[in-house]
Amino acid sequence: MKIACLQMDMKLGCPNENFTHAAELIEQAMAAQPDVLVLPETWNTGFFPKENLAALCDEDGARVKEKIGGLAAKYGVNIVAGSVSNQRNDNIYNTAMVFDRTGVCITSYDKTHLFSPMGEHLSYTPGDHLCRFQLDGVDCGLIICYDLRFPELTRSLTVPGLDLLFVVSQWPGVRTAHLRTLTTARAIENQMFVVCCNSCGTAGDTVYGGSSAVIDPWGETIALAGTQEEILMGECSMDTLNKIRNTIPVFRDRRPELYHI
């Protein structure tokens, strides 16, 4: 499975410009004919304008479904459409949507863990469900940024069986080492591929760190981006999964009767 991470530098509070730029990056990435395109977190508004947020939001994901779903159908590509600031039923959510090759939105996910140090919980409503889906027959899961710091969430996704985890984020450069460590740990401990698409650039006083990555189940980095905007390509060979899982059978050797959280 060939995956393209669109490490996007978006403009804070400018959804029109960001939709246009996302479409440009998608068109550029399709020159390499990937199977999956991935966008970062809250790419429509940036993370996150505290004034006039509701007016800047997508409305129940309608614009993403029309524009990004339309591009998925046009190019015949799967798109993990990062996440967007999304207004639904008078609440604002940090919502990720996934489109198959026909442009159908096959799943959506509202960010579960809101980043209280930056006040995300004061403006957004937390989600109430996890996100598992299939792309081209591959079992996938999706989490958003701060979710990565909660291994219970990832483990809940992976115990039933998961081959690939997408992490979409707006992770600041000052904590890039945490992003690299945690994504690598999730790949190793769950014996799966991890694809992280982070943003870059500056929003307010925060500099976002890029460093998007494709990581294999051994924790080896297949592809790693720099700190500026770029399109990162990586290949995930699903043939390697069974060999790794048979070599160190961590899921077979679990002792869930002793785990009390």
Side-chain angles (χ1 to χ4, degrees):
M1 176 175 278
K2 189 175 186 179
I3 299 174
C5 292
L6 310 184
Q7 183 167 286
M8 180 176 170
D9 182 356
M10 73 261 335
K11 294 184 178 180
L12 185 66
C14 299
N16 290 336
E17 290 89 336
N18 292 332
F19 266 91
T20 297
H21 189 42
E24 292 169 348
L25 291 174
I26 288 170
E27 183 176 2
Q28 291 173 30
M30 285 311 302
Q33 297 185 314
D35 299 299
V36 186
L37 298 169
V38 192
L39 285 160
E41 180 186 16
T42 53
W43 57 266
N44 65 332
T45 59
F47 190 86
F48 63 94
K50 293 180 173 61
E51 295 182 5
N52 207 28
L53 177 60
L56 297 170
C57 285
D58 202 357
E59 187 68 35
D60 198 17
R63 190 174 186 182
V64 176
K65 291 172 184 175
E66 177 188 359
K67 301 296 186 182
I68 306 303
L71 289 169
K74 175 182 177 180
Y75 292 113
V77 66
N78 302 295
I79 301 181
V80 177
S83 75
V84 294
S85 299
N86 179 42
Q87 187 167 30
R88 188 175 72 245
N89 298 329
D90 297 323
N91 292 318
I92 296 173
Y93 297 88
N94 186 338
T95 303
M97 283 168 269
V98 179
F99 299 90
D100 67 13
R101 293 180 185 270
T102 70
V104 172
C105 182
I106 59 172
T107 192
S108 64
Y109 168 68
D110 300 319
K111 187 177 182 180
T112 305
H113 301 95
L114 302 179
F115 192 55
S116 57
M118 289 182 69
E120 186 180 12
H121 65 299
L122 301 176
S123 297
Y124 293 78
T125 299
D128 59 5
H129 65 279
L130 305 187
C131 185
R132 289 173 51 86
F133 54 96
Q134 282 197 339
L135 292 178
D136 296 347
V138 175
D139 290 319
C140 302
L142 188 151
I143 62 175
I144 301 174
C145 203
Y146 193 38
D147 286 338
L148 182 63
R149 290 187 180 272
F150 298 86
E152 308 97 313
L153 171 60
T154 303
R155 201 59 152 185
S156 297
L157 288 169
T158 59
V159 166
L162 205 68
D163 299 329
L164 196 160
L165 179 69
F166 292 99
V167 182
V168 299
S169 57
Q170 289 248 22
W171 202 283
V174 69
R175 291 189 290 276
T176 295
H178 293 188
L179 179 65
R180 297 284 296 122
T181 299
L182 291 169
T183 49
T184 302
R186 296 296 91 85
I188 294 169
E189 70 195 4
N190 294 290
Q191 298 183 324
M192 63 184 179
F193 290 94
V194 172
V195 173
C196 175
C197 184
N198 195 33
S199 67
C200 60
T202 302
D205 296 328
T206 304
V207 178
Y208 292 95
S211 304
S212 299
V214 180
I215 304 166
D216 77 9
W218 285 123
E220 299 294 331
T221 300
I222 296 170
L224 178 64
T227 59
Q228 304 301 312
E229 184 172 274
E230 67 175 278
I231 297 171
L232 180 74
M233 294 284 179
E235 286 266 8
C236 296
S237 175
M238 299 302 154
D239 294 338
T240 66
L241 286 173
N242 286 337
K243 180 179 178 181
I244 291 169
R245 291 166 179 172
N246 289 332
T247 300
I248 306 176
V250 293
F251 283 94
R252 187 195 69 189
D253 294 340
R254 291 175 69 246
R255 297 287 306 281
E257 70 275 11
L258 299 179
Y259 309 149
H260 303 288
I261 298 177

